[in-house]
Amino acid sequence: MLNHSASLMDWLKDVGLLLAGLTALYFGAEWLVGGSAKLAVKWGISPLVVGLTIVAFGTSAPELFVSLQFMLADPPQPDAALGNVIGSNICNIALILGISALICRLEIKSDLLRRDLPILVFATLVFMAMLWDRNFARWEGIVMFISLVVYTIWCLRSCKKEKNPEVLAEFEEEFGAPEEIKDNNAWLAFLVFGGLVALYFGAEWMKTGGIGLAERFGVSPAIISLTVVAFATSVPELATSIIASAKKEGDIITGNIIGSCLFNLLCVIGVTATVKPMVITDIAVTDLVVVCALTLLLVPMMMTGRRITRLEGILLLASYLGYCGLLWQRINAGAGA
């Protein structure tokens, strides 16, 4: 139910906090990833290692900081923390892949089908099983994070063995060749520090604005987190994917989206639950079923012809709109209760 007693200034404050949080999260992630990646290469670490660790972790930094802020709030908001991850994965698969497939055909790399997609499906099923009792214990978070470490080590070994040129090419396109990095170490360290500060305050503003909007609309923070906050933290991936689609780089898009979804589960949930166990009340079984079904839907889509077509993109977009419709019904049902 809409809170009519809230003034226009209250609404503008919450929306402004969300926009400020989105801006800070975007630039914070850019500065953190750019500064730390260049520093690592200047210190003699292989661009391949940097691309599979620092850059990969950096894509989940906004979601991680936001979920941690929700859990460290007083009182903690575990439904909002989990809703951010579930909503982000739904947004990544249904909205971002859907829009990207409308712009260009998305090609699928063989190692994505052989390694990353099966692991994402398995991790999603394990996540769903762990959350079925409405609790996410600290030991479960530790298991998820250890799985991330094992997965990262496996990726590093596999890519080194195959002398994977694609990760190196992506690194050079983003940051330039290692020998071309001329930035001063002090400046790069400042970028890393500034990125962490921006991520902290961006997550704080996102949390405050999200909870404020939930109160204005009279809905649970979980609903706002599944929609507004999840979309906001996925905006960098959306912008990157649209640019890559325009360049006909569909294989990069699918790899980044699968990697982002996997890191959301293993890194964001793993770290957040390890810091503070979660007991949920407002995340519905429907939310878990939707994220699981969309992940499973990727298997036949990607296996048939090793591409995602425009028609399949329309199906993904329709799925996202359908899910938003279900959430709208839940809001109306809550208002009428």
Side-chain angles (χ1 to χ4, degrees):
M1 180 179 289
L2 208 60
N3 184 358
H4 296 287
S5 63
S7 68
L8 177 61
M9 289 304 298
D10 292 329
W11 285 94
L12 291 177
K13 177 185 174 182
D14 291 331
V15 173
L17 282 170
L18 278 176
L19 293 175
L22 170 61
T23 303
L25 287 173
Y26 176 79
F27 285 105
E30 287 287 310
W31 295 339
L32 175 64
V33 172
S36 55
K38 289 181 179 179
L39 265 180
V41 170
K42 289 189 73 175
W43 289 342
I45 300 176
S46 163
L48 178 65
V49 174
V50 172
L52 288 169
T53 54
I54 294 173
V55 177
F57 276 90
T59 60
S60 291
E63 286 88 349
L64 175 60
F65 274 73
V66 169
S67 289
L68 282 173
Q69 282 286 10
F70 276 123
M71 284 306 297
L72 296 175
D74 186 21
Q77 303 285 342
D79 291 286
L82 278 166
N84 176 41
V85 171
I86 294 171
S88 289
N89 278 19
I90 291 173
C91 190
N92 282 341
I93 296 171
L95 180 64
I96 297 178
L97 278 184
I99 291 176
S100 300
L102 288 181
I103 300 173
C104 78
R105 188 174 64 183
L106 305 181
E107 302 293 340
I108 313 298
K109 295 180 287 189
S110 59
D111 59 341
L112 193 72
L113 294 174
R114 186 180 69 252
R115 182 187 64 203
D116 302 308
L117 182 58
I119 293 176
L120 174 61
V121 170
F122 181 71
T124 303
L125 292 173
V126 170
F127 169 72
M128 190 172 179
M130 286 180 169
L131 207 54
W132 203 254
D133 61 353
R134 320 297 289 171
N135 290 280
F136 213 95
R138 179 171 280 115
W139 72 265
E140 292 172 318
I142 293 172
V143 167
M144 295 294 253
F145 187 73
I146 290 175
S147 300
L148 172 67
V149 174
V150 172
Y151 166 75
T152 303
I153 293 172
W154 182 35
C155 284
L156 287 171
R157 289 183 175 178
S158 299
C159 288
K160 282 182 178 179
K161 188 184 301 181
E162 297 167 5
K163 301 186 183 301
N164 194 318
E166 294 172 347
V167 176
L168 297 174
E170 286 185 44
F171 179 91
E172 292 191 6
E173 183 178 347
E174 184 71 23
F175 306 109
E179 61 273 11
E180 295 174 357
I181 298 175
K182 306 297 183 183
D183 301 89
N184 183 275
N185 284 356
W187 168 247
L188 294 176
F190 177 76
L191 277 181
V192 172
F193 177 74
L196 289 170
V197 171
L199 284 168
Y200 173 82
F201 283 104
E204 173 68 25
W205 296 333
M206 187 75 71
K207 175 207 72 178
T208 305
I211 293 176
L213 275 184
E215 292 172 351
R216 310 284 174 243
F217 280 105
V219 300
S220 71
I223 296 291
I224 295 296
S225 195
L226 283 163
T227 52
V228 177
V229 175
F231 176 79
T233 55
S234 297
V235 163
E237 286 97 334
L238 177 59
T240 302
S241 296
I242 290 175
I243 293 170
S245 298
K247 295 179 180 179
K248 308 297 183 183
E249 296 173 338
D251 55 337
I252 293 177
I253 296 168
T254 51
N256 287 345
I257 292 299
I258 296 298
S260 179
C261 289
L262 191 53
F263 271 78
N264 283 344
L265 292 175
L266 300 183
C267 181
V268 180
I269 293 295
V271 172
T272 304
T274 300
V275 171
K276 184 171 289 188
M278 293 178 275
V279 179
I280 65 168
T281 55
D282 293 328
I283 295 295
V285 173
T286 306
D287 303 319
L288 298 176
V289 170
V290 168
V291 72
C292 188
L294 284 171
T295 305
L296 291 173
L297 182 62
L298 289 177
V299 177
M301 278 189 176
M302 292 186 171
M303 294 291 287
T304 52
R306 293 191 176 185
R307 64 177 64 91
I308 297 178
T309 64
R310 183 170 281 108
L311 182 60
E312 290 168 332
I314 293 172
L315 175 60
L316 288 172
L317 279 175
S319 301
Y320 185 74
L321 293 175
Y323 176 65
C324 290
L326 289 175
L327 290 179
W328 182 252
Q329 287 183 347
R330 198 190 305 175
I331 292 172
N332 288 335

